[in-house]
mmCIF file with all atom_site columns, all heavy atoms in Angstrom:
data_model
loop_
_atom_site.group_PDB
_atom_site.id
_atom_site.type_symbol
_atom_site.label_atom_id
_atom_site.label_alt_id
_atom_site.label_comp_id
_atom_site.label_asym_id
_atom_site.label_entity_id
_atom_site.label_seq_id
_atom_site.pdbx_PDB_ins_code
_atom_site.Cartn_x
_atom_site.Cartn_y
_atom_site.Cartn_z
_atom_site.occupancy
_atom_site.B_iso_or_equiv
_atom_site.pdbx_formal_charge
_atom_site.auth_seq_id
_atom_site.auth_comp_id
_atom_site.auth_asym_id
_atom_site.auth_atom_id
_atom_site.pdbx_PDB_model_num
ATOM 1   N N   . ASP A 1 51 ? -43.465 44.854 -25.678 1.00 0.00 ? 65 ASP A N   1
ATOM 2   C CA  . ASP A 1 51 ? -44.689 44.687 -26.477 1.00 0.00 ? 65 ASP A CA  1
ATOM 3   C C   . ASP A 1 51 ? -45.716 43.850 -25.722 1.00 0.00 ? 65 ASP A C   1
ATOM 4   O O   . ASP A 1 51 ? -46.919 44.146 -25.755 1.00 0.00 ? 65 ASP A O   1
ATOM 5   C CB  . ASP A 1 51 ? -44.380 43.994 -27.811 1.00 0.00 ? 65 ASP A CB  1
ATOM 6   C CG  . ASP A 1 51 ? -43.615 44.873 -28.787 1.00 0.00 ? 65 ASP A CG  1
ATOM 7   O OD1 . ASP A 1 51 ? -43.580 46.111 -28.607 1.00 0.00 ? 65 ASP A OD1 1
ATOM 8   O OD2 . ASP A 1 51 ? -43.047 44.306 -29.738 1.00 0.00 ? 65 ASP A OD2 1
ATOM 9   N N   . LEU A 1 52 ? -45.243 42.798 -25.046 1.00 0.00 ? 66 LEU A N   1
ATOM 10  C CA  . LEU A 1 52 ? -46.159 41.930 -24.288 1.00 0.00 ? 66 LEU A CA  1
ATOM 11  C C   . LEU A 1 52 ? -46.842 42.677 -23.141 1.00 0.00 ? 66 LEU A C   1
ATOM 12  O O   . LEU A 1 52 ? -47.985 42.370 -22.803 1.00 0.00 ? 66 LEU A O   1
ATOM 13  C CB  . LEU A 1 52 ? -45.423 40.706 -23.751 1.00 0.00 ? 66 LEU A CB  1
ATOM 14  C CG  . LEU A 1 52 ? -45.031 39.656 -24.778 1.00 0.00 ? 66 LEU A CG  1
ATOM 15  C CD1 . LEU A 1 52 ? -44.187 38.565 -24.127 1.00 0.00 ? 66 LEU A CD1 1
ATOM 16  C CD2 . LEU A 1 52 ? -46.260 39.068 -25.456 1.00 0.00 ? 66 LEU A CD2 1
ATOM 17  N N   . LEU A 1 53 ? -46.139 43.651 -22.551 1.00 0.00 ? 67 LEU A N   1
ATOM 18  C CA  . LEU A 1 53 ? -46.772 44.435 -21.481 1.00 0.00 ? 67 LEU A CA  1
ATOM 19  C C   . LEU A 1 53 ? -48.080 45.057 -21.964 1.00 0.00 ? 67 LEU A C   1
ATOM 20  O O   . LEU A 1 53 ? -49.059 45.133 -21.223 1.00 0.00 ? 67 LEU A O   1
ATOM 21  C CB  . LEU A 1 53 ? -45.845 45.561 -21.003 1.00 0.00 ? 67 LEU A CB  1
ATOM 22  C CG  . LEU A 1 53 ? -44.676 45.205 -20.114 1.00 0.00 ? 67 LEU A CG  1
ATOM 23  C CD1 . LEU A 1 53 ? -43.856 46.448 -19.816 1.00 0.00 ? 67 LEU A CD1 1
ATOM 24  C CD2 . LEU A 1 53 ? -45.144 44.548 -18.820 1.00 0.00 ? 67 LEU A CD2 1
ATOM 25  N N   . PHE A 1 54 ? -48.087 45.520 -23.217 1.00 0.00 ? 68 PHE A N   1
ATOM 26  C CA  . PHE A 1 54 ? -49.267 46.195 -23.757 1.00 0.00 ? 68 PHE A CA  1
ATOM 27  C C   . PHE A 1 54 ? -50.408 45.228 -24.053 1.00 0.00 ? 68 PHE A C   1
ATOM 28  O O   . PHE A 1 54 ? -51.532 45.660 -24.274 1.00 0.00 ? 68 PHE A O   1
ATOM 29  C CB  . PHE A 1 54 ? -48.888 47.011 -24.997 1.00 0.00 ? 68 PHE A CB  1
ATOM 30  C CG  . PHE A 1 54 ? -48.139 48.263 -24.656 1.00 0.00 ? 68 PHE A CG  1
ATOM 31  C CD1 . PHE A 1 54 ? -46.764 48.242 -24.508 1.00 0.00 ? 68 PHE A CD1 1
ATOM 32  C CD2 . PHE A 1 54 ? -48.809 49.464 -24.447 1.00 0.00 ? 68 PHE A CD2 1
ATOM 33  C CE1 . PHE A 1 54 ? -46.062 49.390 -24.168 1.00 0.00 ? 68 PHE A CE1 1
ATOM 34  C CE2 . PHE A 1 54 ? -48.121 50.617 -24.110 1.00 0.00 ? 68 PHE A CE2 1
ATOM 35  C CZ  . PHE A 1 54 ? -46.748 50.576 -23.968 1.00 0.00 ? 68 PHE A CZ  1
ATOM 36  N N   . LYS A 1 55 ? -50.141 43.929 -24.027 1.00 0.00 ? 69 LYS A N   1
ATOM 37  C CA  . LYS A 1 55 ? -51.201 42.931 -24.164 1.00 0.00 ? 69 LYS A CA  1
ATOM 38  C C   . LYS A 1 55 ? -51.863 42.653 -22.810 1.00 0.00 ? 69 LYS A C   1
ATOM 39  O O   . LYS A 1 55 ? -52.948 42.092 -22.762 1.00 0.00 ? 69 LYS A O   1
ATOM 40  C CB  . LYS A 1 55 ? -50.647 41.630 -24.752 1.00 0.00 ? 69 LYS A CB  1
ATOM 41  C CG  . LYS A 1 55 ? -50.181 41.765 -26.187 1.00 0.00 ? 69 LYS A CG  1
ATOM 42  C CD  . LYS A 1 55 ? -49.658 40.429 -26.692 1.00 0.00 ? 69 LYS A CD  1
ATOM 43  C CE  . LYS A 1 55 ? -49.146 40.531 -28.093 1.00 0.00 ? 69 LYS A CE  1
ATOM 44  N NZ  . LYS A 1 55 ? -50.170 40.544 -29.107 1.00 0.00 ? 69 LYS A NZ  1
ATOM 45  N N   . VAL A 1 56 ? -51.163 43.034 -21.739 1.00 0.00 ? 70 VAL A N   1
ATOM 46  C CA  . VAL A 1 56 ? -51.636 42.708 -20.401 1.00 0.00 ? 70 VAL A CA  1
ATOM 47  C C   . VAL A 1 56 ? -52.135 43.948 -19.642 1.00 0.00 ? 70 VAL A C   1
ATOM 48  O O   . VAL A 1 56 ? -53.093 43.869 -18.885 1.00 0.00 ? 70 VAL A O   1
ATOM 49  C CB  . VAL A 1 56 ? -50.503 42.027 -19.595 1.00 0.00 ? 70 VAL A CB  1
ATOM 50  C CG1 . VAL A 1 56 ? -50.943 41.714 -18.178 1.00 0.00 ? 70 VAL A CG1 1
ATOM 51  C CG2 . VAL A 1 56 ? -50.023 40.777 -20.295 1.00 0.00 ? 70 VAL A CG2 1
ATOM 52  N N   . PHE A 1 57 ? -51.475 45.073 -19.857 1.00 0.00 ? 71 PHE A N   1
ATOM 53  C CA  . PHE A 1 57 ? -51.789 46.289 -19.107 1.00 0.00 ? 71 PHE A CA  1
ATOM 54  C C   . PHE A 1 57 ? -52.166 47.414 -20.063 1.00 0.00 ? 71 PHE A C   1
ATOM 55  O O   . PHE A 1 57 ? -51.749 47.416 -21.221 1.00 0.00 ? 71 PHE A O   1
ATOM 56  C CB  . PHE A 1 57 ? -50.577 46.736 -18.274 1.00 0.00 ? 71 PHE A CB  1
ATOM 57  C CG  . PHE A 1 57 ? -50.081 45.698 -17.319 1.00 0.00 ? 71 PHE A CG  1
ATOM 58  C CD1 . PHE A 1 57 ? -48.912 44.990 -17.572 1.00 0.00 ? 71 PHE A CD1 1
ATOM 59  C CD2 . PHE A 1 57 ? -50.782 45.412 -16.160 1.00 0.00 ? 71 PHE A CD2 1
ATOM 60  C CE1 . PHE A 1 57 ? -48.448 44.028 -16.700 1.00 0.00 ? 71 PHE A CE1 1
ATOM 61  C CE2 . PHE A 1 57 ? -50.322 44.438 -15.270 1.00 0.00 ? 71 PHE A CE2 1
ATOM 62  C CZ  . PHE A 1 57 ? -49.164 43.750 -15.543 1.00 0.00 ? 71 PHE A CZ  1
ATOM 63  N N   . SER A 1 58 ? -52.902 48.378 -19.540 1.00 0.00 ? 72 SER A N   1
ATOM 64  C CA  . SER A 1 58 ? -53.274 49.533 -20.362 1.00 0.00 ? 72 SER A CA  1
ATOM 65  C C   . SER A 1 58 ? -52.040 50.406 -20.618 1.00 0.00 ? 72 SER A C   1
ATOM 66  O O   . SER A 1 58 ? -51.116 50.456 -19.805 1.00 0.00 ? 72 SER A O   1
ATOM 67  C CB  . SER A 1 58 ? -54.345 50.365 -19.657 1.00 0.00 ? 72 SER A CB  1
ATOM 68  O OG  . SER A 1 58 ? -53.790 51.038 -18.537 1.00 0.00 ? 72 SER A OG  1
ATOM 69  N N   . GLY A 1 59 ? -52.045 51.080 -21.746 1.00 0.00 ? 73 GLY A N   1
ATOM 70  C CA  . GLY A 1 59 ? -50.966 52.018 -22.061 1.00 0.00 ? 73 GLY A CA  1
ATOM 71  C C   . GLY A 1 59 ? -50.846 53.093 -20.997 1.00 0.00 ? 73 GLY A C   1
ATOM 72  O O   . GLY A 1 59 ? -49.742 53.528 -20.669 1.00 0.00 ? 73 GLY A O   1
ATOM 73  N N   . ARG A 1 60 ? -51.959 53.488 -20.440 1.00 0.00 ? 74 ARG A N   1
ATOM 74  C CA  . ARG A 1 60 ? -51.970 54.521 -19.392 1.00 0.00 ? 74 ARG A CA  1
ATOM 75  C C   . ARG A 1 60 ? -51.207 54.058 -18.150 1.00 0.00 ? 74 ARG A C   1
ATOM 76  O O   . ARG A 1 60 ? -50.418 54.798 -17.580 1.00 0.00 ? 74 ARG A O   1
ATOM 77  C CB  . ARG A 1 60 ? -53.419 54.857 -19.064 1.00 0.00 ? 74 ARG A CB  1
ATOM 78  C CG  . ARG A 1 60 ? -53.588 55.970 -18.104 1.00 0.00 ? 74 ARG A CG  1
ATOM 79  C CD  . ARG A 1 60 ? -55.044 56.287 -17.922 1.00 0.00 ? 74 ARG A CD  1
ATOM 80  N NE  . ARG A 1 60 ? -55.181 57.240 -16.853 1.00 0.00 ? 74 ARG A NE  1
ATOM 81  C CZ  . ARG A 1 60 ? -56.303 57.744 -16.447 1.00 0.00 ? 74 ARG A CZ  1
ATOM 82  N NH1 . ARG A 1 60 ? -57.433 57.401 -17.045 1.00 0.00 ? 74 ARG A NH1 1
ATOM 83  N NH2 . ARG A 1 60 ? -56.343 58.591 -15.456 1.00 0.00 ? 74 ARG A NH2 1
ATOM 84  N N   . LYS A 1 61 ? -51.456 52.805 -17.750 1.00 0.00 ? 75 LYS A N   1
ATOM 85  C CA  . LYS A 1 61 ? -50.772 52.268 -16.564 1.00 0.00 ? 75 LYS A CA  1
ATOM 86  C C   . LYS A 1 61 ? -49.274 52.121 -16.826 1.00 0.00 ? 75 LYS A C   1
ATOM 87  O O   . LYS A 1 61 ? -48.445 52.463 -15.984 1.00 0.00 ? 75 LYS A O   1
ATOM 88  C CB  . LYS A 1 61 ? -51.376 50.923 -16.169 1.00 0.00 ? 75 LYS A CB  1
ATOM 89  C CG  . LYS A 1 61 ? -50.758 50.327 -14.916 1.00 0.00 ? 75 LYS A CG  1
ATOM 90  C CD  . LYS A 1 61 ? -51.507 49.105 -14.453 1.00 0.00 ? 75 LYS A CD  1
ATOM 91  C CE  . LYS A 1 61 ? -50.970 48.670 -13.105 1.00 0.00 ? 75 LYS A CE  1
ATOM 92  N NZ  . LYS A 1 61 ? -51.879 47.734 -12.442 1.00 0.00 ? 75 LYS A NZ  1
ATOM 93  N N   . ILE A 1 62 ? -48.923 51.618 -18.004 1.00 0.00 ? 76 ILE A N   1
ATOM 94  C CA  . ILE A 1 62 ? -47.509 51.442 -18.347 1.00 0.00 ? 76 ILE A CA  1
ATOM 95  C C   . ILE A 1 62 ? -46.810 52.797 -18.379 1.00 0.00 ? 76 ILE A C   1
ATOM 96  O O   . ILE A 1 62 ? -45.707 52.955 -17.851 1.00 0.00 ? 76 ILE A O   1
ATOM 97  C CB  . ILE A 1 62 ? -47.364 50.714 -19.693 1.00 0.00 ? 76 ILE A CB  1
ATOM 98  C CG1 . ILE A 1 62 ? -47.920 49.283 -19.568 1.00 0.00 ? 76 ILE A CG1 1
ATOM 99  C CG2 . ILE A 1 62 ? -45.909 50.687 -20.154 1.00 0.00 ? 76 ILE A CG2 1
ATOM 100 C CD1 . ILE A 1 62 ? -48.115 48.574 -20.896 1.00 0.00 ? 76 ILE A CD1 1
ATOM 101 N N   . LYS A 1 63 ? -47.468 53.789 -18.950 1.00 0.00 ? 77 LYS A N   1
ATOM 102 C CA  . LYS A 1 63 ? -46.869 55.125 -19.032 1.00 0.00 ? 77 LYS A CA  1
ATOM 103 C C   . LYS A 1 63 ? -46.655 55.710 -17.638 1.00 0.00 ? 77 LYS A C   1
ATOM 104 O O   . LYS A 1 63 ? -45.637 56.335 -17.357 1.00 0.00 ? 77 LYS A O   1
ATOM 105 C CB  . LYS A 1 63 ? -47.727 56.052 -19.880 1.00 0.00 ? 77 LYS A CB  1
ATOM 106 C CG  . LYS A 1 63 ? -47.061 57.396 -20.135 1.00 0.00 ? 77 LYS A CG  1
ATOM 107 C CD  . LYS A 1 63 ? -47.858 58.237 -21.110 1.00 0.00 ? 77 LYS A CD  1
ATOM 108 C CE  . LYS A 1 63 ? -47.124 59.521 -21.436 1.00 0.00 ? 77 LYS A CE  1
ATOM 109 N NZ  . LYS A 1 63 ? -47.905 60.341 -22.389 1.00 0.00 ? 77 LYS A NZ  1
ATOM 110 N N   . ARG A 1 64 ? -47.608 55.492 -16.745 1.00 0.00 ? 78 ARG A N   1
ATOM 111 C CA  . ARG A 1 64 ? -47.478 56.003 -15.370 1.00 0.00 ? 78 ARG A CA  1
ATOM 112 C C   . ARG A 1 64 ? -46.267 55.387 -14.676 1.00 0.00 ? 78 ARG A C   1
ATOM 113 O O   . ARG A 1 64 ? -45.467 56.081 -14.048 1.00 0.00 ? 78 ARG A O   1
ATOM 114 C CB  . ARG A 1 64 ? -48.761 55.741 -14.583 1.00 0.00 ? 78 ARG A CB  1
ATOM 115 C CG  . ARG A 1 64 ? -48.778 56.434 -13.224 1.00 0.00 ? 78 ARG A CG  1
ATOM 116 C CD  . ARG A 1 64 ? -50.101 56.314 -12.526 1.00 0.00 ? 78 ARG A CD  1
ATOM 117 N NE  . ARG A 1 64 ? -50.533 54.925 -12.472 1.00 0.00 ? 78 ARG A NE  1
ATOM 118 C CZ  . ARG A 1 64 ? -51.781 54.537 -12.696 1.00 0.00 ? 78 ARG A CZ  1
ATOM 119 N NH1 . ARG A 1 64 ? -52.717 55.383 -12.979 1.00 0.00 ? 78 ARG A NH1 1
ATOM 120 N NH2 . ARG A 1 64 ? -52.091 53.256 -12.619 1.00 0.00 ? 78 ARG A NH2 1
ATOM 121 N N   . VAL A 1 65 ? -46.098 54.081 -14.810 1.00 0.00 ? 79 VAL A N   1
ATOM 122 C CA  . VAL A 1 65 ? -44.934 53.407 -14.212 1.00 0.00 ? 79 VAL A CA  1
ATOM 123 C C   . VAL A 1 65 ? -43.654 53.930 -14.863 1.00 0.00 ? 79 VAL A C   1
ATOM 124 O O   . VAL A 1 65 ? -42.673 54.229 -14.178 1.00 0.00 ? 79 VAL A O   1
ATOM 125 C CB  . VAL A 1 65 ? -45.035 51.870 -14.355 1.00 0.00 ? 79 VAL A CB  1
ATOM 126 C CG1 . VAL A 1 65 ? -43.754 51.198 -13.863 1.00 0.00 ? 79 VAL A CG1 1
ATOM 127 C CG2 . VAL A 1 65 ? -46.248 51.331 -13.610 1.00 0.00 ? 79 VAL A CG2 1
ATOM 128 N N   . TRP A 1 66 ? -43.657 54.044 -16.174 1.00 0.00 ? 80 TRP A N   1
ATOM 129 C CA  . TRP A 1 66 ? -42.487 54.537 -16.912 1.00 0.00 ? 80 TRP A CA  1
ATOM 130 C C   . TRP A 1 66 ? -42.081 55.923 -16.425 1.00 0.00 ? 80 TRP A C   1
ATOM 131 O O   . TRP A 1 66 ? -40.905 56.167 -16.138 1.00 0.00 ? 80 TRP A O   1
ATOM 132 C CB  . TRP A 1 66 ? -42.828 54.548 -18.402 1.00 0.00 ? 80 TRP A CB  1
ATOM 133 C CG  . TRP A 1 66 ? -41.804 55.131 -19.296 1.00 0.00 ? 80 TRP A CG  1
ATOM 134 C CD1 . TRP A 1 66 ? -40.541 54.658 -19.524 1.00 0.00 ? 80 TRP A CD1 1
ATOM 135 C CD2 . TRP A 1 66 ? -41.934 56.291 -20.120 1.00 0.00 ? 80 TRP A CD2 1
ATOM 136 N NE1 . TRP A 1 66 ? -39.889 55.465 -20.439 1.00 0.00 ? 80 TRP A NE1 1
ATOM 137 C CE2 . TRP A 1 66 ? -40.727 56.466 -20.819 1.00 0.00 ? 80 TRP A CE2 1
ATOM 138 C CE3 . TRP A 1 66 ? -42.974 57.192 -20.349 1.00 0.00 ? 80 TRP A CE3 1
ATOM 139 C CZ2 . TRP A 1 66 ? -40.523 57.510 -21.724 1.00 0.00 ? 80 TRP A CZ2 1
ATOM 140 C CZ3 . TRP A 1 66 ? -42.774 58.227 -21.253 1.00 0.00 ? 80 TRP A CZ3 1
ATOM 141 C CH2 . TRP A 1 66 ? -41.562 58.376 -21.914 1.00 0.00 ? 80 TRP A CH2 1
#
Side-chain angles (χ1 to χ4, degrees):
D65 289 343
L66 288 174
L67 284 177
F68 286 87
K69 293 180 182 282
V70 178
F71 303 105
S72 71
R74 185 176 172 179
K75 182 172 188 164
I76 295 167
K77 187 173 185 180
R78 189 173 52 222
V79 174
W80 175 64

